[in-house]
Amino acid sequence: MLNIITQFSKYLLVILTAVYAMKCFTVFRAKYDFDRGSVYMVQNVLMFLIHFIFYLLIYLNTKDMKVIVFYFLQVVLFVCTLVFYGVMYRRASRLIINNMCFLLMIGFVELSRLDSADYPVSRQFMIAVVAIVISLAVPVIIEKGAFLKKIGPVYGVLGIIMIISVFIPGVGKNLNGATGWISVGPVSLQPSELAKIVFVFFIAAMLCRRTDFKYIVIISACAAIHVLILVAAKDLGAALIFFTVYVIMLYIATGKLRYLGLGFGGLAAAAAVAYRLFAHVRVRVQAWRYPWSDYQASTYQIAQSLFAISTGGWFGTGFYKGMPEITPIAGSDFIFTAIVEEMGALFGICLLLIYISCLMMFFNISLKITDSFYKLLAMGLSAAYGVQVLLCVGGVVKFIPHTGVTLPLISYGGSSILSTILVFSVIQGLYLLKQREVHGDVKVQ
């Protein structure tokens, strides 16, 4: 009986998720402006239904009453998130809120499925609660904080302090070849995750002032310091995000294609240098080029990821019918692989479409903002978010070499989930600013 339920549910979940993804793009059609409320309501119904089906399957496979308790705690969290945002910010973007909650749901589901001591879903849940509570205050700060654009150097100094903290003896922690974490007692933190938000604030605050050549050279040198510290820590995934975000923001601020060309030309040169300097980079490039060359050792991770994805096919093996736990770091860097193996490529494509709809909304907000600081801020955060999704998914499907970054809101990682929720809340604040310009009545109650 359980096999029948599992096989039926995988098709039902793909259909429901596909409808949810379709609704994400419906709201961009101008002729549906009058009816967006019903679209968002349908999304809410779909997301809670999908969430319920997944946890029903988890309970049927584990027979653990704790699963039911944890499910209801999540429902309370998501209902409170939707209600509080709706009450506090009457004109908040419900697409941003819905997608944030949906992606968090999928993350909790997959971590509950993996049920590993290395990826405790209860800890992820607690961090998400704290992050959402903090995020409720962020739009107020963005709306009221006119001073934010005036303290550019402060952001620069703070960002450097954050990413250089990994070199403090006894505090810095090496993991998977990179010194990208700090550990104080039971608390571990990846400073680069939060520092990328500070970095975007820094670049936006500086470039909104002026864009003459001498000034850009100074700002570029400051940005290079951030990137070089990350390279020294061998946190090359974060370094790539910082570098790409800066190049994009510089182009947006100046409108000059030569900066874009120089930036990506420099990126290619830096990649060649990194290949020669770092052994783990050479290993990852080798695994990307020849994933079957050393299956029992250096290429096992990417080869197993490809095996798992191909095993899943279009509709997956079925929830709890695959073996996602045998893929290394399945709850973190390779969580997309774990999802696609059991839920199928179509479900994975729907997730990517939801990520893309978020990115489209972020870009849409940035294009409508007239203030240069806020425009650059929105564009920089959008770029950071988009590049991270590209690096994570591209790495596990062998589109690009694996860089070790997480999938926003889904992968295990307290720093990642906190920084992503903060990015969503900052974008939400910028959306509310634009709504105040248009309607003149955005109020925080």
Side-chain angles (χ1 to χ4, degrees):
M1 185 63 181
L2 181 56
N3 286 335
I4 295 175
I5 294 173
T6 299
Q7 293 304 312
F8 173 75
S9 66
K10 72 179 185 181
Y11 297 108
L12 177 60
L13 286 166
V14 167
I15 292 171
L16 294 175
T17 307
V19 175
Y20 180 94
M22 181 189 70
K23 294 295 181 182
C24 290
F25 294 91
T26 299
V27 300
F28 293 107
R29 299 174 65 179
K31 71 175 184 177
Y32 287 106
D33 280 352
F34 69 94
D35 199 29
R36 285 183 177 177
S38 63
V39 172
Y40 296 134
M41 186 58 67
V42 170
Q43 281 192 318
N44 293 149
V45 172
L46 289 170
M47 60 196 276
F48 281 108
L49 180 57
I50 292 167
H51 189 229
F52 170 77
I53 294 172
F54 269 123
Y55 269 94
L56 176 61
L57 291 171
I58 293 173
Y59 174 73
L60 291 175
N61 280 276
T62 63
K63 304 298 184 181
D64 187 352
M65 290 299 296
K66 292 180 181 178
V67 169
I68 297 176
V69 175
F70 186 51
Y71 164 74
F72 280 109
L73 287 174
Q74 290 179 52
V75 170
V76 170
L77 171 64
F78 294 126
V79 169
C80 288
T81 301
L82 294 170
V83 170
F84 281 121
Y85 262 106
V87 171
M88 294 177 64
Y89 306 106
R90 186 162 56 87
R91 293 192 180 277
S93 169
R94 289 181 60 186
L95 179 64
I96 293 176
I97 302 168
N98 287 351
N99 284 355
M100 181 181 75
C101 290
F102 182 88
L103 294 171
L104 280 172
M105 284 179 177
I106 299 301
F108 291 147
V109 163
E110 191 58 34
L111 293 175
S112 297
R113 159 65 181 97
L114 293 171
D115 190 26
S116 168
D118 294 328
Y119 310 110
V121 66
S122 58
R123 182 177 181 273
Q124 185 89 334
F125 176 76
M126 293 303 298
I127 293 172
V129 171
V130 173
I132 288 173
V133 170
I134 295 172
S135 75
L136 288 169
V138 171
V140 180
I141 297 172
I142 298 296
E143 184 183 358
K144 306 295 183 181
F147 67 93
L148 292 173
K149 68 176 70 176
K150 301 175 182 177
I151 55 173
V154 175
Y155 299 131
V157 173
L158 178 60
I160 290 174
I161 291 174
M162 291 173 71
I163 58 179
I164 210 171
S165 63
V166 298
F167 295 106
I168 299 175
V171 175
K173 181 181 177 182
N174 186 287
L175 186 64
N176 297 325
T179 310
W181 286 259
I182 59 174
S183 181
V184 181
V187 179
S188 293
L189 181 70
Q190 191 174 8
S192 62
E193 284 286 349
L194 298 175
K196 71 185 176 187
I197 300 176
V198 178
F199 179 76
V200 172
F201 270 86
F202 167 64
I203 300 302
M206 301 305 287
L207 289 180
C208 75
R209 298 180 181 181
R210 42 191 268 231
T211 56
D212 57 273
F213 180 74
K214 290 183 179 179
Y215 186 71
I216 286 175
V217 170
I218 296 172
I219 304 305
S220 298
C222 295
I225 293 173
H226 287 75
V227 174
L228 290 174
I229 294 172
L230 291 169
V231 171
K234 298 182 181 179
D235 192 356
L236 301 184
L240 181 57
I241 292 174
F242 275 59
F243 187 92
T244 306
V245 166
Y246 175 67
V247 171
I248 292 173
M249 292 181 71
L250 180 60
Y251 170 69
I252 297 299
T254 62
K256 296 179 179 178
L257 280 172
R258 65 171 176 268
Y259 289 130
L260 203 61
L262 286 171
F264 286 109
L267 178 61
V273 172
Y275 179 81
R276 293 185 174 276
L277 288 180
F278 301 114
H280 72 286
V281 174
R282 292 193 292 274
V283 170
R284 289 180 177 180
V285 172
Q286 179 72 7
W288 170 62
R289 295 180 64 193
Y290 310 107
W292 322 114
S293 61
D294 191 16
Y295 176 73
Q296 297 299 326
S298 61
T299 68
Y300 175 78
Q301 192 175 49
I302 184 63
Q304 187 56 48
S305 175
L306 296 175
F307 276 135
I309 292 172
S310 62
T311 299
W314 287 111
F315 290 98
T317 59
F319 206 50
Y320 275 86
K321 297 301 178 182
M323 295 185 291
E325 61 278 354
I326 68 174
T327 300
I329 40 183
S332 182
D333 300 2
F334 282 77
I335 199 166
F336 187 76
T337 297
I339 292 171
V340 171
E341 178 183 356
E342 293 193 328
M343 297 310 302
L346 290 177
F347 189 89
I349 291 170
C350 290
L351 283 184
L352 291 180
L353 289 173
I354 294 167
Y355 277 113
I356 291 171
S357 73
C358 291
L359 190 60
M360 286 178 61
M361 188 64 179
F362 292 175
F363 281 137
N364 191 42
I365 292 169
S366 67
L367 292 173
K368 291 182 178 180
I369 296 174
T370 54
D371 183 281
S372 59
F373 169 71
Y374 293 122
K375 180 182 287 291
L376 287 170
L377 183 60
M379 191 61 71
L381 293 175
S382 303
Y385 166 82
V387 171
Q388 184 165 342
V389 173
L390 173 64
L391 292 180
C392 180
V393 177
V396 303
V397 301
K398 208 183 88 66
F399 178 70
I400 56 175
H402 176 232
T403 55
V405 300
T406 54
L407 189 61
L409 296 176
I410 294 182
S411 291
Y412 178 79
S415 303
S416 176
I417 204 168
L418 174 59
S419 67
T420 307
I421 290 175
L422 289 177
V423 166
F424 273 61
S425 59
V426 171
I427 296 290
Q428 188 72 261
L430 297 175
Y431 179 82
L432 289 166
L433 273 179
K434 183 59 185 176
Q435 292 297 302
R436 185 176 65 179
E437 289 182 11
V438 174
H439 301 281
D441 60 350
V442 174
K443 297 179 181 178
V444 180
Q445 300 176 350

